[in-house]
Amino acid sequence: MKPSTAFERNKHMKHLTHALLSALVISFAPISADAQTGGDETTVDLGGAVLTRPAYVGSDQYQTNLLPYIGFENLYGFDMRGLAISSDVIEMGTGKGPGKWSLEAGPRVSFDFGRDSSDSPTLAGLDDIDSSLLLGGFTRATYGIIGFDLAVGQDVIGGHDGFVADASVGTRYPGQGWFVAPIVTLSWANQNFTQDIYGISQAQTATSALDQFNTKSGFHQVSATLLGGIDLDEDWSLTGLISYREALGDYRDSPIIQAEDGTAAGVFATVGIARRFNF
């Protein structure tokens, strides 16, 4: 790792905000159902966090940023976790916890920021990747203390034009005013997405210093995440997260990953504080 100790709040803010929020989405999705409020109560979480993460997928350069956080549950029937908004259309089961099971499913809309060729000399000459709006759905299930989550989405505004799917499994160990949750996530994407993130087209070889690299659809990344939190009082909570992510298979051979400032592995770490408002 080559960490940066300076706080940068401009050029990379959009990428860093997405990284923090997507990390929280993946981490909370399979485990938070038993910790969320019940009934018709609406909750809104407001706070901030410090995040350290790679500059982009495949970079060994690290950046640290101070970022805002907002989320809500059951706001007119919708939940917002990170940059994803969803609604539970299907809800069934005997409950959550030992000896019980639950199933939730519904539509999901998420936003994904792109990547700029100016983010690194390695990316010079490559096309910028525009932001994406992903329309899809989710399925979230619990059996005993184990949680499962599947989220899928298709870009509809011409960013990467890709279809992506994230499957997670995790559990949650609660204590008196604290919890720890390990989660493993496997990420799949079609060729449109993987070619944009890992690939180099023939045209791009003429404008960059990288060799041509063509990709296919497949499982491109695995993540292992450890999330923990502690209640500071009835309203405030402190949460920490560390996530190790690694490219899989042939995607590791991408010229972006094999570059001098490239790597197949990345670590995301964040510590945040938030206040919950109940309505």
Side-chain angles (χ1 to χ4, degrees):
M1 298 183 189
K2 301 175 183 177
S4 171
T5 57
F7 283 86
E8 299 175 16
R9 296 182 176 87
N10 39 45
K11 176 182 172 182
H12 297 289
M13 179 61 73
K14 63 179 185 179
H15 306 305
L16 292 163
T17 302
H18 168 64
L20 168 63
L21 297 178
S22 62
L24 292 176
V25 170
I26 292 172
S27 301
F28 278 114
I31 60 171
S32 63
D34 59 342
Q36 293 171 8
T37 57
D40 297 326
E41 186 176 35
T42 296
T43 64
V44 177
D45 295 311
L46 298 175
V50 177
L51 169 71
T52 297
R53 56 139 282 184
Y56 55 88
V57 175
S59 173
D60 71 351
Q61 303 295 311
Y62 278 73
Q63 300 165 341
T64 300
N65 287 77
L66 179 63
L67 304 170
Y69 175 76
I70 182 172
F72 56 77
E73 297 171 15
N74 198 30
L75 184 63
Y76 301 105
F78 292 92
D79 300 330
M80 179 178 179
R81 300 183 182 96
L83 295 184
I85 297 177
S86 62
S87 180
D88 296 341
V89 174
I90 298 174
E91 294 182 89
M92 62 178 65
T94 59
K96 300 178 177 68
K100 300 179 180 180
W101 68 274
S102 69
L103 176 66
E104 302 170 354
R108 182 176 184 269
V109 179
S110 61
F111 188 77
D112 191 356
F113 289 110
R115 182 188 71 197
D116 295 333
S117 60
S118 59
D119 287 346
S120 165
T122 296
L123 305 179
L126 301 184
D127 297 331
D128 292 340
I129 301 174
D130 295 331
S131 299
S132 302
L133 183 68
L134 303 169
L135 298 185
F138 76 94
T139 299
R140 186 177 303 119
T142 63
Y143 182 77
I145 63 171
I146 304 298
F148 308 89
D149 184 85
L150 176 64
V152 302
Q154 170 67 50
D155 174 33
V156 295
I157 61 173
H160 51 62
D161 289 320
F163 179 86
V164 300
D166 293 313
S168 301
V169 59
T171 189
R172 187 174 189 272
Y173 299 98
Q176 188 63 37
W178 61 271
F179 76 92
V180 174
I183 308 102
V184 175
T185 302
L186 186 61
S187 299
W188 184 95
N190 68 359
Q191 186 179 24
N192 287 343
F193 177 89
T194 60
Q195 184 65 31
D196 266 6
I197 301 300
Y198 304 99
I200 307 297
S201 68
Q202 184 176 11
Q204 289 173 333
T205 61
T207 58
S208 73
L210 302 177
D211 295 331
Q212 184 174 351
F213 184 75
N214 296 321
T215 67
K216 299 180 180 179
S217 303
F219 292 100
H220 65 96
Q221 181 178 260
V222 64
S223 308
T225 302
L226 183 65
L227 174 70
I230 184 170
D231 294 331
L232 301 178
D233 59 26
E234 293 183 355
D235 299 318
W236 290 89
S237 62
L238 185 69
T239 302
L241 174 150
I242 185 166
S243 181
Y244 175 84
R245 304 177 181 188
E246 186 162 345
L248 298 174
D250 293 340
Y251 304 105
R252 299 169 63 91
D253 297 327
S254 166
I256 296 173
I257 289 177
Q258 294 299 319
E260 184 177 351
D261 62 349
T263 178
V267 175
F268 292 70
T270 181
V271 176
I273 186 170
R275 188 188 192 284
R276 169 157 289 191
F277 297 88
N278 300 305
F279 300 94

